[in-house]
Amino acid sequence: MIVTQPGTTGLAADAHLIEHDFTAIFDRHYRNIYAYVARRLGPDLAEDVASETFLIAYDRRHAFDAARGDARPWLFGIASNLVARHVRAESRRYRALARAGGQDIDAADGHADAVAGRLDAAAVRGRLAEALRRLPEPVRAVLLLVAWAGLNQQEAAEALGIPAGTARSRLHRARQEMRQALGAEIEVDE
């Protein structure tokens, strides 16, 4: 049970909890941080990196700006910085996925729709993995915070410590690259 300061509820209570009950912050956000890191780096590194995120956050809890209220962008920012340290390993992983292409399809399933869906996904996965690998880390970080962590553009900007306009342009660039990887036409508004 999470105990909050009177008059604070939900995410607005994060600022109070950071100072007075950090375990509640951990309980509230660990699963989402872990899921994001697992998608970025794989499950082998996720627990260590997610745990390290909270260790760093705890060490820096006094520097948290209480006016922010929600600790989620702050925590995702710490996690993103830790993920950036593992970029080379991440790039190798995307390169391996791109090379594997559709080789891991289990056609023994027997259900025609499931097999067709897997074939479609496998055909695209290699191209997407290669496109993700080619993206510069700052662009990839914004895209994955929005796509995998569920942050909006403003939260992704806060998490990475960049202006909202920079996050918006990086996300636009990433989306263009993903469309190109899928062979889709890109609509350009100028």
Side-chain angles (χ1 to χ4, degrees):
M1 175 177 209
I2 297 176
V3 178
T4 63
Q5 179 182 27
T8 60
T9 58
L11 295 176
D14 280 358
H16 175 75
L17 293 174
I18 284 174
E19 283 296 320
H20 302 290
D21 187 8
F22 197 83
T23 58
I25 292 295
F26 179 88
D27 292 342
R28 181 178 286 171
H29 298 289
Y30 179 82
R31 190 175 356 180
N32 290 326
I33 295 293
Y34 173 86
Y36 170 71
V37 174
R39 292 183 87 176
R40 290 288 312 266
L41 299 177
D44 295 340
L45 293 172
E47 190 170 330
D48 290 341
V49 173
S51 296
E52 188 176 355
T53 297
F54 284 92
L55 286 172
I56 291 170
Y58 182 78
D59 287 343
R60 297 180 184 168
R61 70 190 180 282
H62 301 297
F64 179 75
D65 180 6
R68 293 172 101 178
D70 185 3
R72 203 169 74 126
W74 180 60
L75 293 169
F76 276 109
I78 294 168
S80 292
N81 287 334
L82 292 172
V83 165
R85 292 183 187 170
H86 295 275
V87 168
R88 281 200 290 261
E90 182 182 43
S91 292
R92 286 192 299 269
R93 182 169 174 252
Y94 287 136
R95 203 173 302 124
L97 279 172
R99 279 193 308 267
Q103 296 176 6
D104 66 342
I105 298 170
D106 181 10
D109 186 318
H111 190 269
D113 289 339
V115 170
R118 286 186 194 169
L119 287 169
D120 289 343
V124 173
R125 184 175 51 211
R127 291 186 304 201
L128 286 176
E130 178 60 23
L132 278 172
R133 185 192 66 75
R134 282 194 322 260
L135 285 176
E137 172 55 24
V139 174
R140 182 171 49 225
V142 172
L143 174 66
L144 297 180
L145 280 170
V146 170
W148 289 352
L151 298 183
N152 62 37
Q153 287 178 10
Q154 180 62 39
E155 291 171 328
E158 287 178 37
L160 297 171
I162 59 176
T166 301
R168 187 172 28 261
S169 66
R170 288 178 183 175
L171 185 60
H172 177 72
R173 178 179 174 195
R175 286 177 173 160
Q176 284 183 319
E177 291 293 326
M178 295 302 105
R179 285 185 193 114
Q180 284 178 338
L182 291 172
E185 286 187 16
I186 300 172
E187 296 178 11
V188 179
D189 298 327
E190 294 192 44

